[in-house]
Amino acid sequence: MSDRAFLLPEEDIDISHIKRLGLMGGTFDPIHQGHLVTAEAVRTSFNLDKVIFVPSGQPPHKVEKKVTAKERRFLMTELATVTNPYFEVSRVEINRQGYSYSADTVSYFRQLMDPDGELFFITGADAILEILTWKGIDKLFAECTFIAATRPGFQPQAMAERLGAQLKPEYLKKIITIEVPAMAISSTDIRSRVDRGRSIKYLLPEPVEQYIYKQGLYKA
Ligand code: ATP
Ligand code: MG
């Protein structure tokens, strides 16, 4: 067993020796194969030492929506990632009071990792298209490179065109796209399937599926 279980929550994960770190933020309500396949594809393609999943505490862009309790989303993320030795889950946004902003989270990991290390922020292309609405984008682009997962056949050029007009060219250079076949899976679709009594098998790891049924999540 790693000594991770004995760390106090506020100490989070020891990453002081990490040179190439991936962060994947999300609501993870619930986490699914799209998130996992993407994280693993980015880890191997970009030679990352670790990918840390960061479930959001209070997501600022989902205020009007009903979101499952953060401890449950954290637990589902733990259940989903436990079999991958390169994956970890952070409590940093769960423990933080108020809204969770990626810029604060990125700075937090920046100061904890190797000062010469590189930080990669993994997102879906949909999230990148909203980046101009994010708080602290200058700080974000100074501290990390973005890896945006796209559907096969998606034209990265289309994204560059949509962002290009508003985003500084040096920022655009720090957004790299990667094609991921599992892009069609979404948490919204999984929640709706559970509510309608449809199968969610193979869309997410089995322990997460079992947890959803056991806790009666996503039933209206
Ligand atoms: P919802 O449908 O509730 O918005 P979601 O499936 O988009 O959920 P989030 O927790 O909102 O999941 O997403 C976390 C991150 O994962 C975001 O950067 C999002 O763009 C990305 N993402 C979501 N679905 C996929 C997928 N199928 N493949 C790759 N990345 C994804
Ligand atoms: Mg989403």
Side-chain angles (χ1 to χ4, degrees):
M1 194 159 120
S2 89
D3 57 1
R4 208 194 132 199
F6 301 105
L7 292 176
L8 293 170
E10 58 271 26
E11 285 176 293
D12 231 23
I13 301 155
D14 180 15
I15 54 162
S16 52
H17 58 291
I18 295 281
K19 289 254 187 253
R20 294 175 71 80
L21 176 66
L23 291 182
M24 180 144 197
T27 316
F28 303 129
D29 192 14
I31 188 164
H32 53 66
Q33 304 297 15
H35 301 129
L36 296 162
V37 167
T38 299
E40 183 66 0
V42 174
R43 179 185 78 76
T44 54
S45 306
F46 292 85
N47 212 3
L48 305 186
D49 301 312
K50 208 176 254 314
V51 175
I52 302 182
F53 290 75
V54 190
S56 59
Q58 216 174 318
H61 60 289
K62 289 187 176 167
V63 266
E64 70 291 358
K65 294 188 191 141
K66 201 168 135 247
V67 174
T68 303
K70 57 188 181 180
E71 290 296 346
R72 290 198 159 147
R73 292 183 288 105
F74 174 80
L75 184 57
M76 289 192 279
T77 311
E78 283 274 31
L79 288 173
T81 53
V82 75
T83 52
N84 189 326
Y86 298 100
F87 288 178
E88 297 278 1
V89 187
S90 167
R91 292 191 59 88
V92 65
E93 292 195 3
I94 299 284
N95 292 349
R96 200 184 284 153
Q97 296 300 314
Y99 292 135
S100 306
Y101 292 105
S102 300
D104 298 334
T105 301
V106 163
S107 297
Y108 169 82
F109 285 106
R110 250 275 157 242
Q111 341 141 19
L112 292 179
M113 68 186 288
D114 187 312
D116 300 322
E118 260 199 273
L119 193 52
F120 297 85
F121 196 89
I122 308 166
T123 72
D126 59 326
I128 277 287
L129 286 169
E130 286 165 19
I131 201 161
L132 294 158
T133 68
W134 293 15
K135 193 187 134 222
I137 64 166
D138 293 306
K139 200 164 79 168
L140 271 168
F141 278 101
E143 292 182 330
C144 65
T145 298
F146 286 85
I147 314 290
T150 66
R151 288 188 180 80
F154 176 90
Q155 300 298 322
Q157 199 48 38
M159 186 171 71
E161 276 164 23
R162 275 178 67 181
L163 285 172
Q166 300 123 309
L167 212 57
K168 296 180 189 165
E170 65 264 37
Y171 289 177
L172 212 50
K173 275 191 224 137
K174 293 192 84 176
I175 303 175
I176 303 169
T177 56
I178 180 172
E179 281 193 1
V180 177
M183 257 325 276
I185 303 173
S186 76
S187 305
T188 302
D189 177 60
I190 291 172
R191 292 192 300 271
S192 144
R193 280 169 183 270
V194 172
D195 189 38
R196 289 176 293 139
R198 303 264 300 273
S199 172
I200 54 169
K201 222 174 196 21
Y202 312 125
L203 295 174
L204 72 184
E206 203 165 337
V208 180
E209 181 191 349
Q210 294 307 326
Y211 180 82
I212 289 169
Y213 293 137
K214 186 175 172 185
Q215 299 297 330
L217 304 184
Y218 312 130
K219 282 278 178 199

